[in-house]
Each structure stands twice: as structure tokens, then as C-alpha cells.
Amino acid sequence: MGAHLPDYYFRVRENGALVFRVDTENRQRRIEMDQIAMVNIRNGEIKPHGDRTLGDDDVAAIQNWMAERQSVLADRTIDDILRTVDHLNLTTQWAQSKASDDQLDAVTDSLLLAMHDLRSVLVRRKADRLMKDDTA
């Protein structure tokens, strides 16, 4: 590990994180992590752990982490969508050149329904954006 550890550690959970204060300044020179809060990234809620009171530095560090985390998650979402486009292209190539009739029978209905649903949503959302641009 590096010579200097961060002051806070965020244990990521599905909807946010548990926040720990990191302490290395103790007699045993051990790393101690003391839970100070729980964060919900979806609604922005910061709940102090137990009967703790969070200081301004704590809140600022948590809010900074939340902003960075939301940016990372947004970037990952776009990356996942672009990977989906790649997978759709690979699936098209597979269906055209390698798939057996039995394999196609196993996936065709599911793929067609999912693609129809996606197409409907994309067309509706694009029409909404175009209508909004026309009124602006």
C-alpha cells in the first residue's frame, strides 16, 4: 500500500455506499475503518451511522464522492449501451453466417420482441425530442 491512505473509504453498494473514516494514527499503526455514514446515490440522502454527527469535512467529502460516482456510473451506462450495439452487430453476423436452425429457433422470438420494444421506445423518444426542438 502507498504511504498515504485516503481519509475516507467508500464501500460501494447497489444504491450508494457505506462511508468509513480511515485512521492509521493509532498506537498499533493498524488501519482502522470507522463507519460514519450510509449514502443513497439515487436520492442523494446521507444518513449518519448510529448517533454520529457528520462534520462539514465529512459532508463535503461524501458529496464529492457522490458527484464523482454519478459521473462514473453515467459513463459506464453509455459504455454498456455502445457494447450492446457491438453485441447486436455480432449477433447479426452470427445469425447470418453461423447459426443453425435450432439455434435461431431458440432465440428469434426473444430477440424480435426485445428489438421491437427498443425500436418503439427510441422512435417515440426521438419524435418527442424533434417536437420539442420545433417548439423551441
Side-chain angles (χ1 to χ4, degrees), residues 3-106:
H4 179 71
L5 293 173
D7 294 331
Y8 299 94
Y9 171 72
F10 296 84
R11 183 191 302 157
V12 175
R13 298 173 37 161
E14 186 173 331
N15 293 330
L18 298 177
V19 183
F20 296 87
R21 187 175 295 122
V22 177
D23 178 21
T24 57
E25 302 297 323
N26 53 61
R27 274 194 276 169
Q28 295 84 13
R29 309 263 312 148
R30 293 184 182 161
I31 297 171
E32 293 181 8
M33 296 191 325
D34 185 27
Q35 184 178 351
I36 62 169
M38 187 168 37
V39 175
N40 185 322
I41 199 89
R42 290 191 180 152
N43 64 14
E45 187 175 35
I46 300 170
K47 288 185 184 176
H49 180 69
D51 55 356
R52 290 195 177 279
T53 302
L54 299 176
D56 292 340
D57 290 345
D58 298 330
V59 173
I62 292 168
Q63 288 174 335
N64 185 49
W65 178 87
M66 288 173 68
E68 289 176 8
R69 182 69 179 166
Q70 288 170 330
S71 176
V72 165
L73 293 174
D75 290 346
R76 284 184 186 168
T77 297
I78 294 299
D79 187 56
D80 287 346
I81 300 303
L82 293 173
R83 287 175 194 251
T84 299
V85 172
D86 287 346
H87 283 280
L88 284 169
N89 287 319
L90 292 170
T91 301
T92 302
Q93 186 61 32
W94 168 82
Q96 184 177 19
S97 63
K98 296 179 184 176
S100 70
D101 289 346
D102 288 341
Q103 289 173 321
L104 287 173
D105 285 342

